[in-house]
Amino acid sequence: MSGQFAGGDLSRLRQLNTLAVVHALRHQPPRTLTEMARAAGLSRPATEDVVRELEAQGWVEQVDPAAGSMGRPARRYRFRADAGWVLGVDIGGHTVRALVADLDGEIRHSERQPVSPAVGRAERLAVVDKVVAECLAGAGRTGAEMWATTVATSGLVDDAGRVVLSVALPEWTGLHLAEHISRLVSGPVLVENDSRLAALAETWRGVARYARDVVYLLAGLRTGAGLIIDGRLHRGFARASGEIGALPELGWIRAQEHLRGWSGAPAGTDPDDVAGLVFAAAREGDRRALTAVRRYVKDFALGASALVLALDPQLVVFGGGFSRSADVILEPFRRELEKRCIRTPEVVQSALAEDAVALGAVRHALDHLELHLFNPGSGLAAPAAPGR
Amino acid sequence: MSGQFAGGDLSRLRQLNTLAVVHALRHQPPRTLTEMARAAGLSRPATEDVVRELEAQGWVEQVDPAAGSMGRPARRYRFRADAGWVLGVDIGGHTVRALVADLDGEIRHSERQPVSPAVGRAERLAVVDKVVAECLAGAGRTGAEMWATTVATSGLVDDAGRVVLSVALPEWTGLHLAEHISRLVSGPVLVENDSRLAALAETWRGVARYARDVVYLLAGLRTGAGLIIDGRLHRGFARASGEIGALPELGWIRAQEHLRGWSGAPAGTDPDDVAGLVFAAAREGDRRALTAVRRYVKDFALGASALVLALDPQLVVFGGGFSRSADVILEPFRRELEKRCIRTPEVVQSALAEDAVALGAVRHALDHLELHLFNPGSGLAAPAAPGR
């Protein structure tokens, strides 16, 4: 069995060893060389070799020995999660949110600001610029330090980061969102649909952490869906998956109208604010409100049933703004699903609610870095400012 | 970088090398050691070492040198695809089919027999037994030589190979199909939904070979769907995916009724035979037939649109018995999809038609073997009779 290693194999092996050590340190408390060697499945000399290089490159640093330890304690190392940063932005109809996180996904600062659903492109982008600037400042960072940024928007986006179609936001269709945000930060700027990013967040830090196949439902003033299939976000061939709402027969177009058109709201109430009043009245047992909720749930469940029947997911996550009213929605929703589906999956309320989208944007930006930095074949180099 | 290989690494490496050589030989014309070494990315001595062992085990054999070659030609080897066999069985409403194939998926014999949709469980199983026996005999093999068998049925099946629910076949629900077929063959017996297996066949030898995301539609006296997502068959958490037909709003329950209830058929025609007459009459321009086809297509396209909108596939395959009448169905079907979908994918007629299901069963049985025989971690042993 000798003679089977060519020269290229050795540098490839070196690279795999480097990544094994990085993986053994990331998301872990500081570790000794011996602990790293065991976790990475490498010999102690090989581990030491790799760690020395990672330390020189700035990926890894020694931590101070624990106070009060006797004798000469073994050196411990940690992965420098603050070697780089990512930014997640959620541009919603009512709110713009931004999060700055380190390479381990720790959120270092979050910022949000309300915005009227009626404002046009320029005004909304001005709010975005402000929220991003304040979030960066709050985290003590600059746009030049961001290694990757993901921006969430409703509607369809293309690979270049352009909004191909948005019915929810005025003057939004045709906007080159990636280009706009690129003026604020360094590094790649990715744009993705908000429901999809919320689904991603649920598998990361939400209720779908242990599920491989998930239908995420974004319930709010609009209804959307994000699909996790075999543990991965399913985008579709032209990034147009989850758009079941386009089929009038499946109820999502009219679902919210049962709430917006509720007759029990005081005259002059903004139609967008009626939903909250309906849920509150239903909670008190108001009959007209309960009827409106029942009609909403029936149409909402129709589209949801189509997704469940198509995919047979392990889990349905009920998310979005309306998930805060799960106490009046979830039980009738489960009953409607049971009426229509062959196998009714577990239905769980999102614990992230409106924060899911921005959190998913952070995860998405981190995934981009994982793919390009911490993956076999990436050829891990010293941390560099993005864009260089 | 020395000292990084433990003892276990070497035997692991040996195993990977063995599989690299097997992969370099399978589905290929006979190869010399030099050619194999290049294809497997191994040194010549390591390759020779592995080939000697594979030859001793019976996986690989030398082929006779080409006639008329000058001097002493280099030895050539081939993978022994006939070291083992698989069986695929398709139990349909109108026909039972069986295929015997070798380890490379070459079909060695096929057998089929018509069966009335009305017959009960015992009678249908008797036909299955007969078709399987004749197919084995026709291939010159015995049931004891089958390494894996996959049986296709309509309806829902569980992991143990039991039919959980079938509306299409009389007395079929509750049948332990795997147990029944296990009396005819050795090796594992797998049971899978027919639409799903047809989808698999299309990605193997059909029109979906180059697509990663596919919605396969089985159009016939019943309508079914199989989903290929990211290159893999999507089964769902409880193997209940693709069952969009259960939703009355999506048209698949009533779609065939527009054909079966056609008034143009001679009195006394079996309703199951009317569809063919309708398509023939539509082909001749008969107005009532064209109306029936249009209504069928509209309902068929409604459910198909829901799948397309949910998944945004690269490709829709139009398969099943009705795909033979694609000349009168496909154009109106495409138009209906275009009306309803945000992005209309390419729609292609199946070239396999009714053969797709049995072929998919063969592929499914082969996939099972690939997973357990030719995969890292399998610890490839000498070919053995199944069950041993």
Side-chain angles (χ1 to χ4, degrees):
Chain A
M1 291 301 288
S2 61
Q4 68 218 0
F5 290 115
D9 290 341
L10 276 176
S11 83
R12 166 100 183 124
L13 206 54
R14 168 82 188 206
Q15 195 179 318
L16 289 173
N17 289 352
T18 303
L19 288 168
V21 169
V22 166
H23 286 296
L25 271 188
R26 291 195 70 193
H27 313 289
Q28 298 291 341
R31 282 181 151 172
T32 64
L33 284 170
T34 309
E35 287 166 346
M36 273 186 273
R38 195 179 312 128
L42 300 176
S43 70
R44 164 82 193 226
T47 306
E48 195 157 3
D49 204 27
V50 166
V51 167
R52 199 164 24 234
E53 192 172 316
L54 285 170
E55 198 177 3
Q57 289 174 339
W59 286 109
V60 157
E61 67 180 6
Q62 282 193 48
V63 293
D64 295 332
S69 47
M70 302 286 288
R72 211 192 71 180
R75 283 170 294 160
R76 288 179 185 276
Y77 296 85
R78 73 173 188 98
F79 176 74
R80 286 194 54 223
D82 53 357
W85 303 90
V86 298
L87 174 68
V89 184
D90 168 20
I91 308 178
H94 294 75
T95 315
V96 174
R97 288 175 179 77
L99 300 175
V100 167
D102 67 21
L103 294 182
D104 278 349
E106 281 298 306
I107 306 300
R108 297 304 187 97
H109 193 77
S110 77
E111 203 70 43
R112 76 176 62 189
Q113 192 176 314
V115 59
S116 162
V119 303
R121 181 190 291 195
E123 203 173 327
R124 189 174 306 272
L125 286 177
V127 174
V128 171
D129 293 358
K130 188 158 167 285
V131 170
V132 167
E134 284 173 5
C135 189
L136 289 168
R141 313 255 62 100
T142 67
E145 288 176 282
M146 296 300 113
W147 284 15
T149 298
T150 293
V151 185
T153 176
S154 70
L156 298 176
V157 291
D158 67 14
D159 283 335
R162 203 184 308 259
V163 180
V164 177
L165 178 71
S166 167
V167 280
L169 304 183
E171 302 172 9
W172 210 243
T173 298
L175 169 63
H176 201 318
L177 201 43
E179 197 174 86
H180 179 86
I181 303 292
S182 290
R183 284 179 287 177
L184 311 176
V185 291
S186 302
V189 175
L190 313 160
V191 181
E192 187 50 276
N193 172 273
D194 51 5
S195 301
R196 254 175 243 154
L197 292 174
L200 196 60
E202 295 292 347
T203 64
W204 183 33
R205 294 197 171 158
V207 292
R209 260 172 295 179
Y210 308 105
R212 301 286 299 169
D213 292 292
V214 181
V215 168
Y216 171 87
L217 300 169
L218 189 136
L221 294 172
R222 4 168 238 107
T223 309
L227 309 176
I228 303 291
I229 297 177
D230 205 16
R232 296 177 55 191
L233 191 60
H234 179 74
R235 288 188 170 80
F237 188 64
R239 303 176 45 139
S241 70
E243 294 292 338
I244 204 115
L247 214 57
E249 288 83 354
L250 289 178
W252 283 7
I253 296 169
R254 66 176 178 262
Q256 290 74 239
E257 299 311 311
H258 300 300
L259 304 173
R260 292 166 61 100
W262 185 53
S263 56
T269 309
D270 184 330
D272 281 353
D273 296 334
V274 175
L277 300 178
V278 180
F279 295 134
R283 204 168 280 126
E284 302 297 316
D286 180 287
R287 268 191 44 227
R288 287 180 306 169
L290 285 167
T291 302
V293 170
R294 197 168 53 242
R295 287 181 180 153
Y296 165 75
V297 165
K298 203 173 163 143
D299 279 337
F300 176 59
L302 191 51
S305 300
L307 290 173
V308 167
L309 283 163
L311 293 169
D312 184 28
Q314 179 176 0
L315 189 68
V316 170
V317 177
F318 176 59
F322 287 2
S323 71
R324 297 201 186 278
S325 301
D327 58 321
V328 291
I329 299 175
L330 213 50
E331 267 321 298
F333 176 59
R334 281 203 190 97
R335 280 200 304 273
E336 285 291 328
L337 280 188
E338 255 158 41
K339 268 196 264 177
R340 297 165 186 285
C341 297
I342 290 178
R343 187 191 71 85
T344 309
E346 192 184 356
V347 181
V348 179
Q349 174 188 6
S350 164
L352 307 170
E354 292 105 326
D355 296 328
V357 178
L359 205 56
V362 163
R363 179 66 260 171
H364 186 265
L366 288 170
D367 283 347
H368 182 84
L369 290 182
E370 299 281 342
L371 199 65
H372 292 91
L373 285 178
F374 304 120
N375 228 12
S378 68
L380 191 71
R388 268 203 271 147
Chain B
M1 291 304 285
S2 61
Q4 68 220 356
F5 290 115
D9 289 344
L10 276 176
S11 84
R12 166 101 184 125
L13 205 54
R14 168 81 187 209
Q15 193 180 320
L16 289 172
N17 289 353
T18 303
L19 289 168
V21 168
V22 166
H23 285 297
L25 272 187
R26 291 195 69 192
H27 315 289
Q28 298 291 341
R31 282 181 152 172
T32 64
L33 284 170
T34 310
E35 288 166 345
M36 274 186 272
R38 197 182 308 125
L42 299 177
S43 70
R44 165 81 194 225
T47 305
E48 196 158 1
D49 203 26
V50 167
V51 167
R52 196 161 29 229
E53 191 173 317
L54 285 170
E55 198 177 3
Q57 289 175 339
W59 286 109
V60 156
E61 67 180 7
Q62 281 193 50
V63 294
D64 296 332
S69 47
M70 301 288 287
R72 209 191 74 176
R75 283 170 293 162
R76 286 178 187 278
Y77 295 84
R78 73 172 188 98
F79 175 75
R80 285 194 53 221
D82 53 0
W85 304 89
V86 298
L87 174 68
V89 184
D90 168 19
I91 309 178
H94 294 74
T95 315
V96 174
R97 289 176 178 77
L99 299 175
V100 167
D102 67 19
L103 294 182
D104 277 350
E106 281 301 307
I107 307 299
R108 297 303 187 96
H109 193 76
S110 76
E111 203 68 43
R112 77 176 62 191
Q113 192 176 313
V115 59
S116 162
V119 303
R121 182 191 290 194
E123 203 173 329
R124 189 175 304 273
L125 285 177
V127 175
V128 170
D129 292 357
K130 186 157 170 284
V131 171
V132 167
E134 284 173 5
C135 190
L136 288 169
R141 313 255 63 100
T142 67
E145 288 176 283
M146 296 300 113
W147 285 15
T149 298
T150 293
V151 185
T153 176
S154 71
L156 298 177
V157 291
D158 67 15
D159 284 334
R162 202 185 309 259
V163 180
V164 178
L165 178 72
S166 168
V167 281
L169 304 183
E171 303 171 7
W172 210 242
T173 298
L175 169 64
H176 199 319
L177 201 44
E179 199 175 85
H180 179 87
I181 303 293
S182 289
R183 285 180 287 176
L184 311 176
V185 292
S186 302
V189 175
L190 314 160
V191 182
E192 186 51 276
N193 172 273
D194 52 5
S195 301
R196 255 175 241 152
L197 292 174
L200 197 59
E202 295 292 347
T203 63
W204 183 33
R205 292 195 173 159
V207 293
R209 260 171 295 178
Y210 307 106
R212 301 286 300 167
D213 292 290
V214 181
V215 168
Y216 171 87
L217 299 170
L218 189 137
L221 294 172
R222 8 171 233 104
T223 310
L227 309 176
I228 303 290
I229 297 177
D230 205 16
R232 296 177 54 192
L233 190 60
H234 179 74
R235 288 188 170 80
F237 187 63
R239 305 177 42 143
S241 70
E243 295 291 339
I244 203 115
L247 214 57
E249 287 84 352
L250 290 178
W252 282 8
I253 295 170
R254 66 177 177 260
Q256 291 75 240
E257 299 311 311
H258 300 300
L259 304 172
R260 291 166 63 99
W262 186 53
S263 56
T269 309
D270 184 330
D272 280 352
D273 297 332
V274 175
L277 301 179
V278 181
F279 294 135
R283 204 168 280 126
E284 301 297 317
D286 180 286
R287 266 191 45 226
R288 285 180 306 168
L290 284 168
T291 302
V293 170
R294 196 167 55 240
R295 286 181 181 154
Y296 165 74
V297 165
K298 200 169 166 148
D299 278 336
F300 176 60
L302 191 49
S305 300
L307 290 173
V308 166
L309 283 163
L311 293 169
D312 184 28
Q314 180 176 358
L315 189 68
V316 170
V317 177
F318 176 59
F322 288 3
S323 70
R324 298 200 186 278
S325 300
D327 58 321
V328 291
I329 299 174
L330 213 50
E331 267 320 298
F333 176 60
R334 280 203 190 97
R335 280 199 303 275
E336 286 291 329
L337 279 188
E338 255 158 41
K339 268 196 262 176
R340 298 166 186 285
C341 296
I342 289 178
R343 187 191 70 85
T344 309
E346 193 184 354
V347 182
V348 180
Q349 174 187 6
S350 164
L352 307 171
E354 291 105 327
D355 296 327
V357 178
L359 205 57
V362 164
R363 180 66 257 170
H364 187 263
L366 288 170
D367 283 348
H368 182 83
L369 290 182
E370 299 281 341
L371 198 65
H372 292 92
L373 284 179
F374 305 120
N375 229 11
S378 65
L380 191 70
R388 267 203 271 149

